[in-house]
Amino acid sequence: MKLLYFAWLKTKTGVAEEEVAPPPEVTTVAELLTWLQSRGPGHAEALSDLNALKVAVNQEYARPEDPVGPGDEVAFFPPVTGG
Amino acid sequence: MKLLYFAWLKTKTGVAEEEVAPPPEVTTVAELLTWLQSRGPGHAEALSDLNALKVAVNQEYARPEDPVGPGDEVAFFPPVTGG
Amino acid sequence: MIRVQEEDFDLGAELAKLTAGNAKVGGLAVFVGLVRDMAGAQDIGAMTLEHYPGMTEKMLTRVEAEANERWPLEASLIIHRVGRLEPGDQIVLVAAASAHREAAFEACQFLIDWLKTKAPFWKLEETGDGAKWVEARDSDDTATERWRAPKTGAAE
Amino acid sequence: MIRVQEEDFDLGAELAKLTAGNAKVGGLAVFVGLVRDMAGAQDIGAMTLEHYPGMTEKMLTRVEAEANERWPLEASLIIHRVGRLEPGDQIVLVAAASAHREAAFEACQFLIDWLKTKAPFWKLEETGDGAKWVEARDSDDTATERWRAPKTGAAE
């Protein structure tokens, strides 16, 4: 599974992109977030405030209950501020 | 008093501009319109449909009850269609 | 700034001038009206725009001032052409620049709605059946109604 | 058409291309977003726009298609810049051309409202205190809410 971090999520986690292999019981966005928070203090802090966090699975906005699987590209970013 | 006619009011009256001296009892836009309708069939036809007619006195939109006097510039035109 | 002119205008140059050197502008909203080759069901070849010289400039100046009172604008511009125009030609340019996009959009729409119903311009279309004065659209009056405020003189 | 690019764009040339040769266009509504030198209370020197390559283009393409479904547009254009920008620089161009001005204005506002809340761009401002990620404005979400229709996928 390919993970991407943008804006201050990249700063806080310290990575822009990483390949991960979560255990098979991780099947939703919410479960992935919980699992990622255990990967270190940077990830824990970056991913703790779910209100300030947007998730995209395969470049589509996703909700906590949406499924994620091994081949997916999952991105984490704050509310957008372009335009 | 200087009168101006625009768009199809100019075509119907046959004049773009004329100087007139209405009798002293003509003191409002409504009275001026009634008096002008007696000046000929072109004027009568052009000025008969008050719903399709806009009037400006000294380059300000005017209502039937608004005053007009000898030194005024009075314009007659249809609803505007610019822009 | 307002201008009534026969000549065409350079859209890019006008907009560049409008915001040049003013980094307080966060948003620029623009409307350009063009001559369509279809008016209602009939093809038209060209049109002639007549106006009321003097009153036009007076009213455009006033409505621009009104827009600047209602919204915090950094710049505004109205250019309206008169005379003979062909399909595809630019007729009118309305632009409003502000710190935020909401003010820019609202002011731009206010200006064009107002101009369509109050500024003394008339279109004479050349159709297959000869020249015909364009009739006013009710929807334009409706568009202007929503801007009416008790205080405004320009909307009367 | 949509474009995401580092280079600046020539506003006049882009708009001229958009309506060139199409005399069905009666109205062109345009919004240009520019870098302001004030963000909140602090002066900023410049900003860097980050985005999510791939998702950005996908979402812009989709929202442009959605605007063309909702309104009878003759042409539409979204250009969004990324990378480092200075005060006064153009950030974004959104334009919609239609037979009538109402459709052009509504589509233009729909596109920019949507883009401000859904397109994956983030602004990093250089302030006196160092670089700072811009926080999202609630008013942008509110602006997008009014376009929400049950059928739309792009607005989700």
Side-chain angles (χ1 to χ4, degrees), chain A residues 10 60-61 73 78 81 83, chain D residues 52 62 80 118 121-123:
Chain A
K10 180 169 60 184
E60 299 284 348
Y61 280 105
E73 173 179 301
T81 55
Chain D
Y52 181 172
R62 193 189 297 165
H80 203 301
K118 299 286 176 178
F121 293 98
W122 303 275
K123 286 177 183 155

Side-chain angles (χ1 to χ4, degrees), chain D residues 54-65:
Chain D
M55 183 173 175
T56 312
E57 291 81 357
K58 189 170 165 178
M59 301 212 81
L60 294 184
T61 301
R62 193 189 297 165
V63 74
E64 189 191 37

Side-chain angles (χ1 to χ4, degrees), chain B residues 16-82:
Chain B
E17 192 174 328
E18 59 182 342
E19 275 289 332
V20 296
E25 61 268 27
V26 170
T27 61
T28 66
V29 168
E31 287 159 3
L32 177 62
L33 278 165
T34 305
W35 179 75
L36 282 171
Q37 285 176 38
S38 68
R39 281 174 65 85
H43 281 66
E45 193 201 341
L47 303 172
S48 61
D49 184 0
L50 296 185
N51 287 324
L53 189 68
K54 302 282 179 188
V55 182
V57 176
N58 299 324
Q59 306 186 353
E60 299 284 349
Y61 280 104
R63 288 158 301 184
E65 65 272 25
D66 284 339
V68 288
D72 288 341
E73 173 179 302
V74 185
F76 303 96
F77 48 81
V80 305
T81 55

Side-chain angles (χ1 to χ4, degrees), chain D residues 83-154:
Chain D
R84 191 166 186 279
L85 301 173
E86 305 203 327
D89 282 355
Q90 303 181 118
I91 307 172
V92 64
L93 165 62
V94 168
S98 183
H100 295 288
R101 78 180 185 288
E102 294 84 357
F105 261 121
E106 285 182 18
C108 185
Q109 282 189 282
F110 167 78
L111 289 171
I112 188 68
D113 285 352
W114 188 94
L115 199 147
K116 288 251 179 191
T117 49
K118 299 286 176 178
F121 293 98
W122 303 275
K123 286 177 183 155
L124 180 66
E125 285 178 352
E126 300 171 18
T127 71
D129 304 331
K132 215 183 89 189
W133 290 100
V134 174
E135 296 210 16
R137 288 167 68 201
D138 283 342
S139 62
D140 287 327
D141 279 326
T142 312
T144 300
E145 276 303 317
R146 69 191 158 114
W147 301 111
R148 185 152 299 185
K151 61 178 268 295
T152 174

